[in-house]
Amino acid sequence: MKIKLFFLFFFITSVSFSQFTNLPNFDEKDLVFGYFIGTNQYDYKIIYNENPEYPISVERGIGLNVGLIGELKLNKNLRLSFEPGLYSNSKKLIFNERRNFTNYNDTLWTIKSNNIHFPLLIKYSSKRLNNLRPYLKGGISASINLSELESTLENNSIDNFEFSKFNIYYELSFGIDFYLRYFKFSPSIRGVFGLNNELPDRVPNNPWTGNLKKLLSRAVFINLSFY
């Protein structure tokens, strides 16, 4: 880990304080395109009607992001960014109270998601410093989940429990543009927060799901972008 951090620090300082200004006219373009790859972690913010007797936990998994980027210049510091992509992930809902389950596998739902994600973001960039330029992004996004719930608790009447397929989020991101000799490299970290309740209209009235009020998706994206 120390070696990786050393090389990362060396890369950043060498690019930032190079005696040459790379891609000096890159930010003068009205429209630029790129692509990104990265990782994600999804979980749920679980809200109950009252203190739960049978709480539910979420085990997060690491997923993969891939997508395209289009940026429209609005002024010297602002750009409008559209970043459609595919975000694959697998997470688990764990029902911690096991005494009333006849099968251990009934205590676990594996939720595989393949989200087509459509963020529309405003990018604010600071003044360029040699070959780097920090930025902030914020905006809204929508996603469509193409996957189905893999496991149901049929022995306890929690079958036919379907999550919302269409979701709305707001997003906040921080990153740095590094101007290299032939292209721009932009690592970033982003928080994604669901706005709509993903519970279905009819939730089975049992000790495990009857007390649920809201399920709100949350995620962290780490993307490496190339322009």
Side-chain angles (χ1 to χ4, degrees):
M1 179 61 70
K2 291 182 179 180
I3 295 176
K4 292 181 180 178
L5 290 176
F6 171 78
F7 279 110
L8 179 60
F9 177 77
F10 177 79
F11 169 77
I12 293 174
T13 53
S14 62
V15 171
S16 305
F17 299 103
S18 169
Q19 60 180 321
F20 300 105
T21 300
N22 297 324
L23 305 175
N25 300 317
F26 190 90
D27 293 331
E28 301 303 318
K29 301 176 183 178
D30 290 331
L31 189 62
V32 295
F33 297 97
Y35 66 93
F36 65 86
I37 58 173
T39 63
N40 65 69
Q41 274 197 333
Y42 279 85
D43 73 351
Y44 288 114
K45 179 179 180 181
I46 302 175
I47 301 175
Y48 299 93
N49 291 304
E50 55 188 29
N51 290 333
E53 182 180 0
Y54 302 103
I56 300 171
S57 357
V58 182
E59 182 179 308
R60 290 171 284 184
I62 296 177
L64 177 67
N65 320 328
V66 292
L68 302 174
I69 304 170
E71 287 187 358
L72 175 66
K73 183 178 179 180
L74 301 178
N75 62 33
K76 181 178 175 181
N77 297 101
L78 290 178
R79 287 182 176 268
L80 182 65
S81 183
F82 181 54
E83 305 177 6
L86 174 64
Y87 291 72
S88 297
N89 186 271
S90 179
K91 56 184 175 290
K92 296 177 181 178
L93 284 182
I94 302 172
F95 295 80
N96 297 301
E97 178 54 61
R98 291 179 163 84
R99 289 178 300 175
N100 294 321
F101 288 95
T102 58
N103 188 330
Y104 179 82
N105 291 331
D106 287 341
T107 66
L108 179 70
W109 287 2
T110 299
I111 304 170
K112 292 185 177 181
S113 59
N114 288 287
N115 292 315
I116 304 296
H117 199 69
F118 303 98
L120 187 63
L121 310 171
I122 293 292
K123 178 180 180 180
Y124 174 78
S125 300
S126 69
K127 183 178 179 181
R128 178 170 172 172
L129 177 62
N130 293 329
N131 288 318
L132 68 79
R133 194 178 189 187
Y135 65 84
L136 296 174
K137 281 185 181 180
I140 61 172
S141 60
S143 72
I144 301 172
N145 187 359
L146 304 179
S147 300
E148 299 286 345
L149 182 66
E150 184 176 277
S151 303
T152 57
L153 306 182
E154 296 178 355
N155 294 333
N156 289 281
S157 301
I158 312 184
D159 49 344
N160 300 320
F161 189 97
E162 296 182 358
F163 292 92
S164 173
K165 291 291 185 183
F166 180 79
N167 294 304
I168 302 292
Y169 310 86
Y170 72 91
E171 305 190 8
L172 298 172
S173 175
F174 169 76
I176 301 176
D177 287 331
F178 293 99
Y179 298 82
L180 306 182
R181 185 173 182 181
Y182 297 111
F183 62 92
K184 185 173 73 171
F185 169 62
S186 178
S188 65
I189 183 169
R190 181 179 305 177
V192 181
F193 308 93
L195 293 174
N196 61 304
N197 187 4
E198 295 187 38
L199 285 177
D201 294 334
R202 296 180 180 179
V203 179
N205 187 18
N206 56 63
W208 299 274
T209 61
N211 191 31
L212 290 176
K213 183 178 181 180
K214 290 183 178 180
L215 276 182
L216 302 174
S217 280
R218 301 179 296 188
V220 175
F221 299 161
I222 297 177
N223 286 335
L224 304 178
S225 303
F226 303 85
Y227 300 84

